[in-house]
Amino acid sequence: MANSFATRTFTTLSDLQPNMANLKVIGVVIGKTDVKGFPDRKNIGSERYTFSFTIRDSPAHFVNAASWGNEDYIKSLSDSFRVGDCVIIENPLIQRKEIEREEKFSPATPSHCKLLLSENHSTVKVCSSYEVDTKLLSLIHLPVKQSHDYYSLGDIVANGHSLNGKIINVLAAVKSVGEPKYFTTSDRRKGQRCEVRLYDETESSFAMTCWDNESILLAQSWIPRETVIFVSDVRISFDKFRNCMTATVISKTIITTNPETPEANILLNFIRENKETNVLDEEIESYFKESINCNSSNLPASGSQSAGITGMSYRAWPFLSFKIYICLIFFFNQVNEFLAMTDEQKTALKWQFLLERSKIYLKVKSKRGESALKSELPSAKVHTCHPSYLVG
């Protein structure tokens, strides 16, 4: 430890045994939950409050701690430190952990013990970063799972419903952090929500939702397109409303910001190399949210048939993705030729393209000036393809 702690004796987390007394432990906080209140069974009409956190003192050892008490004590203690702080805990009660029951809702730890903090006997002190050995503080950048034990975002999307409800690990870069939104439930409990957009080499955008205040506070410190996170034990689910896979931070989740691992460094280099391309992607995606009405003036006449397709998604690697909305009109040498068709002829034409797998070729010009990005759609063509030509 640092010089200021040289004369102090701390019990390492690896040496903890049930019923040990009069000890001190030191560690960096790697996870923390919100304060919650529960009806007090002993005092009808009153409530007890609790919160928990996870501390670490070495790469291989970390342990969960929980505190119970009245509202003022618990909220004051919870507000005194955050994830990333180093704390000294004196006189905690050491209990054997009930693995099956407790790790269902708490982070999985290698220790067979847990710490209980009481208002009358235990104390928690936050250490200054100048007092603590840098080796201890560096643990905040070390994931609690093996660095290679994670799903890419592309794997999650590809597996789809088979991962619905599963708890997995994710390594990804932060694309954007939404503003926290606050609400009140029907039973008058206050809540909050924040959506974080992630991306990696395999997927351009993936939603992760934070529901607790602690993870939202952590997310507000992330820098889009610069921060990489390793999310341990995040829940994956299929969002029926948005028709896509999403991730949700839960009480078991531990998030490591800017992990110092080979895999994270590869991803960090990737986002740095593609930073300018990704900014262009956002501008184009924003621009194309408005419908584009195609007519004969912006589609060149040609001998071959061209067509607009409603709601077609287009991606030019890497991550130049957006949606276009074009009227369902098939263009010939003259627009009048289409307009002169009977309903039967239009129906026959529709069935000619219906259920056919096709590729759409777009030629997009961008003009950059003092104002925002301006784009033109000088041409669009659709070619019917044999299914073997298409992947996915």
Short mmCIF file of all heavy atoms in Angstrom, two decimals, residues 252-291:
data_model
loop_
_atom_site.label_atom_id
_atom_site.label_comp_id
_atom_site.label_asym_id
_atom_site.label_seq_id
_atom_site.Cartn_x
_atom_site.Cartn_y
_atom_site.Cartn_z
N LYS A 252 -26.89 -7.52 -10.83
CA LYS A 252 -25.71 -8.38 -10.93
C LYS A 252 -24.60 -7.75 -11.77
O LYS A 252 -23.44 -8.18 -11.72
CB LYS A 252 -26.08 -9.72 -11.58
CG LYS A 252 -26.81 -10.69 -10.69
CD LYS A 252 -27.17 -11.96 -11.44
CE LYS A 252 -25.95 -12.69 -11.94
NZ LYS A 252 -25.12 -13.24 -10.85
N THR A 253 -24.95 -6.73 -12.53
CA THR A 253 -24.02 -6.19 -13.52
C THR A 253 -22.88 -5.40 -12.88
O THR A 253 -23.10 -4.60 -11.98
CB THR A 253 -24.78 -5.27 -14.49
OG1 THR A 253 -25.88 -6.00 -15.08
CG2 THR A 253 -23.87 -4.77 -15.60
N ILE A 254 -21.68 -5.64 -13.38
CA ILE A 254 -20.51 -4.81 -13.04
C ILE A 254 -19.93 -4.29 -14.35
O ILE A 254 -19.62 -5.07 -15.25
CB ILE A 254 -19.45 -5.59 -12.25
CG1 ILE A 254 -19.98 -5.92 -10.85
CG2 ILE A 254 -18.15 -4.79 -12.16
CD1 ILE A 254 -18.98 -6.65 -9.98
N ILE A 255 -19.80 -2.97 -14.45
CA ILE A 255 -19.31 -2.34 -15.67
C ILE A 255 -17.88 -1.84 -15.44
O ILE A 255 -17.62 -1.09 -14.50
CB ILE A 255 -20.21 -1.17 -16.09
CG1 ILE A 255 -21.66 -1.65 -16.28
CG2 ILE A 255 -19.69 -0.52 -17.37
CD1 ILE A 255 -22.64 -0.54 -16.61
N THR A 256 -16.98 -2.26 -16.30
CA THR A 256 -15.59 -1.82 -16.25
C THR A 256 -15.36 -0.81 -17.36
O THR A 256 -15.52 -1.13 -18.54
CB THR A 256 -14.63 -3.01 -16.41
OG1 THR A 256 -14.93 -3.99 -15.41
CG2 THR A 256 -13.19 -2.57 -16.28
N THR A 257 -15.03 0.42 -16.98
CA THR A 257 -14.81 1.48 -17.94
C THR A 257 -13.37 1.47 -18.43
O THR A 257 -12.44 1.39 -17.62
CB THR A 257 -15.15 2.85 -17.32
OG1 THR A 257 -16.51 2.84 -16.86
CG2 THR A 257 -14.97 3.97 -18.33
N ASN A 258 -13.19 1.56 -19.73
CA ASN A 258 -11.87 1.54 -20.36
C ASN A 258 -11.01 0.41 -19.81
O ASN A 258 -9.96 0.64 -19.20
CB ASN A 258 -11.18 2.89 -20.18
CG ASN A 258 -11.84 3.99 -20.98
OD1 ASN A 258 -12.35 3.76 -22.07
ND2 ASN A 258 -11.84 5.20 -20.45
N PRO A 259 -11.45 -0.84 -20.00
CA PRO A 259 -10.68 -1.98 -19.49
C PRO A 259 -9.30 -2.07 -20.14
O PRO A 259 -9.14 -1.79 -21.33
CB PRO A 259 -11.56 -3.18 -19.87
CG PRO A 259 -12.38 -2.71 -21.02
CD PRO A 259 -12.62 -1.26 -20.78
N GLU A 260 -8.33 -2.46 -19.34
CA GLU A 260 -6.96 -2.60 -19.83
C GLU A 260 -6.73 -4.07 -20.19
O GLU A 260 -6.13 -4.83 -19.43
CB GLU A 260 -5.98 -2.09 -18.79
CG GLU A 260 -6.11 -0.60 -18.52
CD GLU A 260 -5.18 -0.09 -17.44
OE1 GLU A 260 -4.52 -0.94 -16.79
OE2 GLU A 260 -5.12 1.13 -17.24
N THR A 261 -7.23 -4.45 -21.35
CA THR A 261 -7.09 -5.81 -21.86
C THR A 261 -6.72 -5.75 -23.34
O THR A 261 -7.00 -4.75 -24.01
CB THR A 261 -8.40 -6.61 -21.70
OG1 THR A 261 -9.41 -6.03 -22.55
CG2 THR A 261 -8.89 -6.58 -20.26
N PRO A 262 -6.12 -6.80 -23.87
CA PRO A 262 -5.78 -6.80 -25.30
C PRO A 262 -7.00 -6.62 -26.19
O PRO A 262 -6.94 -5.89 -27.20
CB PRO A 262 -5.13 -8.18 -25.51
CG PRO A 262 -4.63 -8.58 -24.16
CD PRO A 262 -5.61 -8.00 -23.19
N GLU A 263 -8.10 -7.29 -25.85
CA GLU A 263 -9.32 -7.18 -26.67
C GLU A 263 -9.87 -5.76 -26.67
O GLU A 263 -10.32 -5.26 -27.70
CB GLU A 263 -10.37 -8.16 -26.16
CG GLU A 263 -10.00 -9.62 -26.29
CD GLU A 263 -9.12 -10.14 -25.16
OE1 GLU A 263 -8.75 -9.34 -24.26
OE2 GLU A 263 -8.80 -11.33 -25.16
N ALA A 264 -9.83 -5.11 -25.50
CA ALA A 264 -10.33 -3.74 -25.41
C ALA A 264 -9.43 -2.78 -26.19
O ALA A 264 -9.92 -1.82 -26.81
CB ALA A 264 -10.43 -3.31 -23.95
N ASN A 265 -8.13 -3.03 -26.18
CA ASN A 265 -7.20 -2.16 -26.92
C ASN A 265 -7.44 -2.27 -28.42
O ASN A 265 -7.33 -1.27 -29.15
CB ASN A 265 -5.76 -2.53 -26.58
CG ASN A 265 -5.37 -2.10 -25.17
OD1 ASN A 265 -5.94 -1.15 -24.64
ND2 ASN A 265 -4.43 -2.81 -24.57
N ILE A 266 -7.75 -3.48 -28.90
CA ILE A 266 -8.06 -3.66 -30.32
C ILE A 266 -9.31 -2.86 -30.70
O ILE A 266 -9.35 -2.17 -31.73
CB ILE A 266 -8.26 -5.15 -30.65
CG1 ILE A 266 -6.93 -5.90 -30.51
CG2 ILE A 266 -8.83 -5.33 -32.05
CD1 ILE A 266 -7.06 -7.40 -30.65
N LEU A 267 -10.33 -2.93 -29.85
CA LEU A 267 -11.56 -2.18 -30.10
C LEU A 267 -11.31 -0.68 -30.03
O LEU A 267 -11.85 0.10 -30.82
CB LEU A 267 -12.65 -2.59 -29.10
CG LEU A 267 -14.00 -1.90 -29.23
CD1 LEU A 267 -14.58 -2.08 -30.64
CD2 LEU A 267 -14.97 -2.43 -28.19
N LEU A 268 -10.48 -0.26 -29.08
CA LEU A 268 -10.16 1.16 -28.94
C LEU A 268 -9.45 1.68 -30.19
O LEU A 268 -9.76 2.79 -30.67
CB LEU A 268 -9.29 1.38 -27.71
CG LEU A 268 -8.95 2.83 -27.36
CD1 LEU A 268 -10.21 3.64 -27.09
CD2 LEU A 268 -8.02 2.89 -26.15
N ASN A 269 -8.53 0.91 -30.72
CA ASN A 269 -7.85 1.31 -31.96
C ASN A 269 -8.84 1.40 -33.11
O ASN A 269 -8.75 2.29 -33.97
CB ASN A 269 -6.75 0.31 -32.30
CG ASN A 269 -5.57 0.41 -31.34
OD1 ASN A 269 -5.32 1.47 -30.76
ND2 ASN A 269 -4.85 -0.68 -31.17
N PHE A 270 -9.80 0.48 -33.14
CA PHE A 270 -10.81 0.48 -34.19
C PHE A 270 -11.65 1.76 -34.16
O PHE A 270 -11.88 2.39 -35.20
CB PHE A 270 -11.72 -0.74 -34.05
CG PHE A 270 -12.94 -0.69 -34.92
CD1 PHE A 270 -12.87 -1.02 -36.27
CD2 PHE A 270 -14.17 -0.31 -34.39
CE1 PHE A 270 -13.99 -0.96 -37.07
CE2 PHE A 270 -15.29 -0.25 -35.20
CZ PHE A 270 -15.20 -0.57 -36.54
N ILE A 271 -12.11 2.16 -32.97
CA ILE A 271 -12.97 3.34 -32.91
C ILE A 271 -12.18 4.61 -33.20
O ILE A 271 -12.73 5.58 -33.72
CB ILE A 271 -13.70 3.45 -31.55
CG1 ILE A 271 -12.72 3.67 -30.39
CG2 ILE A 271 -14.54 2.21 -31.30
CD1 ILE A 271 -13.42 3.88 -29.06
N ARG A 272 -10.89 4.61 -32.87
CA ARG A 272 -10.07 5.78 -33.19
C ARG A 272 -9.86 5.90 -34.70
O ARG A 272 -9.92 7.00 -35.25
CB ARG A 272 -8.73 5.69 -32.47
CG ARG A 272 -8.82 5.94 -30.97
CD ARG A 272 -7.50 5.65 -30.28
NE ARG A 272 -7.55 5.98 -28.85
CZ ARG A 272 -6.60 5.66 -27.98
NH1 ARG A 272 -5.52 4.99 -28.39
NH2 ARG A 272 -6.72 6.00 -26.70
N GLU A 273 -9.62 4.77 -35.35
CA GLU A 273 -9.39 4.78 -36.79
C GLU A 273 -10.65 5.15 -37.57
O GLU A 273 -10.57 5.70 -38.67
CB GLU A 273 -8.90 3.41 -37.25
CG GLU A 273 -7.50 3.07 -36.74
CD GLU A 273 -7.13 1.63 -37.01
OE1 GLU A 273 -7.99 0.90 -37.57
OE2 GLU A 273 -6.01 1.22 -36.66
N ASN A 274 -11.82 4.86 -37.01
CA ASN A 274 -13.09 5.09 -37.71
C ASN A 274 -13.90 6.23 -37.12
O ASN A 274 -15.08 6.36 -37.41
CB ASN A 274 -13.94 3.81 -37.69
CG ASN A 274 -13.31 2.70 -38.50
OD1 ASN A 274 -13.45 2.64 -39.71
ND2 ASN A 274 -12.59 1.81 -37.82
N LYS A 275 -13.26 7.07 -36.33
CA LYS A 275 -13.99 8.14 -35.64
C LYS A 275 -14.62 9.10 -36.63
O LYS A 275 -15.79 9.47 -36.52
CB LYS A 275 -13.06 8.89 -34.69
CG LYS A 275 -13.80 9.80 -33.73
CD LYS A 275 -12.85 10.36 -32.67
CE LYS A 275 -13.61 11.21 -31.66
NZ LYS A 275 -12.71 11.73 -30.60
N GLU A 276 -13.88 9.54 -37.64
CA GLU A 276 -14.43 10.49 -38.61
C GLU A 276 -15.55 9.87 -39.43
O GLU A 276 -16.57 10.49 -39.70
CB GLU A 276 -13.31 10.99 -39.54
CG GLU A 276 -12.29 11.86 -38.84
CD GLU A 276 -11.27 12.42 -39.81
OE1 GLU A 276 -11.41 12.15 -41.03
OE2 GLU A 276 -10.36 13.11 -39.36
N THR A 277 -15.38 8.60 -39.81
CA THR A 277 -16.42 7.90 -40.56
C THR A 277 -17.69 7.78 -39.76
O THR A 277 -18.79 7.95 -40.28
CB THR A 277 -15.93 6.50 -40.98
OG1 THR A 277 -14.72 6.64 -41.71
CG2 THR A 277 -16.97 5.79 -41.83
N ASN A 278 -17.57 7.52 -38.46
CA ASN A 278 -18.74 7.35 -37.62
C ASN A 278 -19.50 8.66 -37.42
O ASN A 278 -20.72 8.68 -37.34
CB ASN A 278 -18.33 6.80 -36.25
CG ASN A 278 -17.84 5.36 -36.34
OD1 ASN A 278 -18.30 4.60 -37.18
ND2 ASN A 278 -16.90 5.00 -35.49
N VAL A 279 -18.77 9.78 -37.37
CA VAL A 279 -19.44 11.08 -37.26
C VAL A 279 -20.23 11.36 -38.53
O VAL A 279 -21.36 11.83 -38.50
CB VAL A 279 -18.40 12.19 -37.01
CG1 VAL A 279 -19.07 13.56 -37.09
CG2 VAL A 279 -17.76 12.00 -35.63
N LEU A 280 -19.65 11.03 -39.69
CA LEU A 280 -20.36 11.20 -40.96
C LEU A 280 -21.60 10.33 -40.99
O LEU A 280 -22.66 10.73 -41.47
CB LEU A 280 -19.43 10.84 -42.12
CG LEU A 280 -20.04 10.86 -43.53
CD1 LEU A 280 -20.50 12.27 -43.86
CD2 LEU A 280 -19.03 10.36 -44.55
N ASP A 281 -21.49 9.12 -40.46
CA ASP A 281 -22.63 8.19 -40.38
C ASP A 281 -23.78 8.83 -39.64
O ASP A 281 -24.94 8.76 -40.06
CB ASP A 281 -22.16 6.91 -39.70
CG ASP A 281 -23.28 5.90 -39.50
OD1 ASP A 281 -24.30 6.02 -40.20
OD2 ASP A 281 -23.12 5.01 -38.66
N GLU A 282 -23.50 9.48 -38.50
CA GLU A 282 -24.56 10.10 -37.71
C GLU A 282 -25.25 11.21 -38.49
O GLU A 282 -26.46 11.36 -38.46
CB GLU A 282 -23.97 10.66 -36.41
CG GLU A 282 -23.92 9.65 -35.29
CD GLU A 282 -23.61 10.32 -33.98
OE1 GLU A 282 -23.30 11.53 -33.97
OE2 GLU A 282 -23.67 9.64 -32.95
N GLU A 283 -24.45 12.03 -39.18
CA GLU A 283 -25.02 13.14 -39.93
C GLU A 283 -25.92 12.65 -41.05
O GLU A 283 -27.00 13.18 -41.28
CB GLU A 283 -23.90 14.02 -40.48
CG GLU A 283 -23.11 14.74 -39.39
CD GLU A 283 -21.95 15.53 -39.96
OE1 GLU A 283 -21.48 15.18 -41.06
OE2 GLU A 283 -21.51 16.49 -39.31
N ILE A 284 -25.46 11.64 -41.78
CA ILE A 284 -26.26 11.09 -42.88
C ILE A 284 -27.53 10.45 -42.34
O ILE A 284 -28.61 10.62 -42.90
CB ILE A 284 -25.44 10.08 -43.70
CG1 ILE A 284 -24.31 10.82 -44.42
CG2 ILE A 284 -26.30 9.35 -44.69
CD1 ILE A 284 -23.40 9.91 -45.22
N GLU A 285 -27.40 9.69 -41.25
CA GLU A 285 -28.57 9.02 -40.67
C GLU A 285 -29.62 10.04 -40.23
O GLU A 285 -30.81 9.86 -40.44
CB GLU A 285 -28.13 8.16 -39.49
CG GLU A 285 -29.25 7.31 -38.93
CD GLU A 285 -28.75 6.31 -37.92
OE1 GLU A 285 -27.53 6.24 -37.69
OE2 GLU A 285 -29.58 5.59 -37.36
N SER A 286 -29.15 11.16 -39.65
CA SER A 286 -30.07 12.20 -39.22
C SER A 286 -30.74 12.85 -40.42
O SER A 286 -31.94 13.11 -40.42
CB SER A 286 -29.31 13.25 -38.40
OG SER A 286 -30.15 14.32 -38.07
N TYR A 287 -29.95 13.08 -41.47
CA TYR A 287 -30.49 13.73 -42.66
C TYR A 287 -31.56 12.87 -43.33
O TYR A 287 -32.60 13.35 -43.76
CB TYR A 287 -29.35 14.02 -43.64
CG TYR A 287 -29.81 14.69 -44.92
CD1 TYR A 287 -30.08 16.05 -44.95
CD2 TYR A 287 -29.96 13.96 -46.09
CE1 TYR A 287 -30.49 16.66 -46.11
CE2 TYR A 287 -30.36 14.56 -47.25
CZ TYR A 287 -30.63 15.93 -47.27
OH TYR A 287 -31.03 16.52 -48.42
N PHE A 288 -31.32 11.55 -43.40
CA PHE A 288 -32.22 10.67 -44.12
C PHE A 288 -33.42 10.24 -43.29
O PHE A 288 -34.20 9.41 -43.72
CB PHE A 288 -31.48 9.45 -44.65
CG PHE A 288 -30.80 9.71 -45.96
CD1 PHE A 288 -29.46 10.01 -46.00
CD2 PHE A 288 -31.52 9.66 -47.14
CE1 PHE A 288 -28.84 10.25 -47.20
CE2 PHE A 288 -30.89 9.91 -48.35
CZ PHE A 288 -29.55 10.21 -48.39
N LYS A 289 -33.57 10.77 -42.08
CA LYS A 289 -34.78 10.47 -41.32
C LYS A 289 -36.00 11.08 -41.99
O LYS A 289 -37.12 10.63 -41.80
CB LYS A 289 -34.64 10.99 -39.88
CG LYS A 289 -33.76 10.10 -39.01
CD LYS A 289 -33.68 10.61 -37.60
CE LYS A 289 -32.82 9.72 -36.73
NZ LYS A 289 -32.68 10.23 -35.36
N GLU A 290 -35.77 12.15 -42.75
CA GLU A 290 -36.86 12.75 -43.50
C GLU A 290 -37.07 11.96 -44.79
O GLU A 290 -36.14 11.47 -45.41
CB GLU A 290 -36.54 14.20 -43.82
CG GLU A 290 -36.41 15.07 -42.57
CD GLU A 290 -36.15 16.52 -42.94
OE1 GLU A 290 -36.08 16.80 -44.16
OE2 GLU A 290 -36.00 17.34 -42.03
N SER A 291 -38.31 11.84 -45.21
CA SER A 291 -38.61 11.07 -46.42
C SER A 291 -38.02 11.74 -47.65
O SER A 291 -37.98 12.97 -47.76
CB SER A 291 -40.13 10.94 -46.59
OG SER A 291 -40.67 10.23 -45.52
#
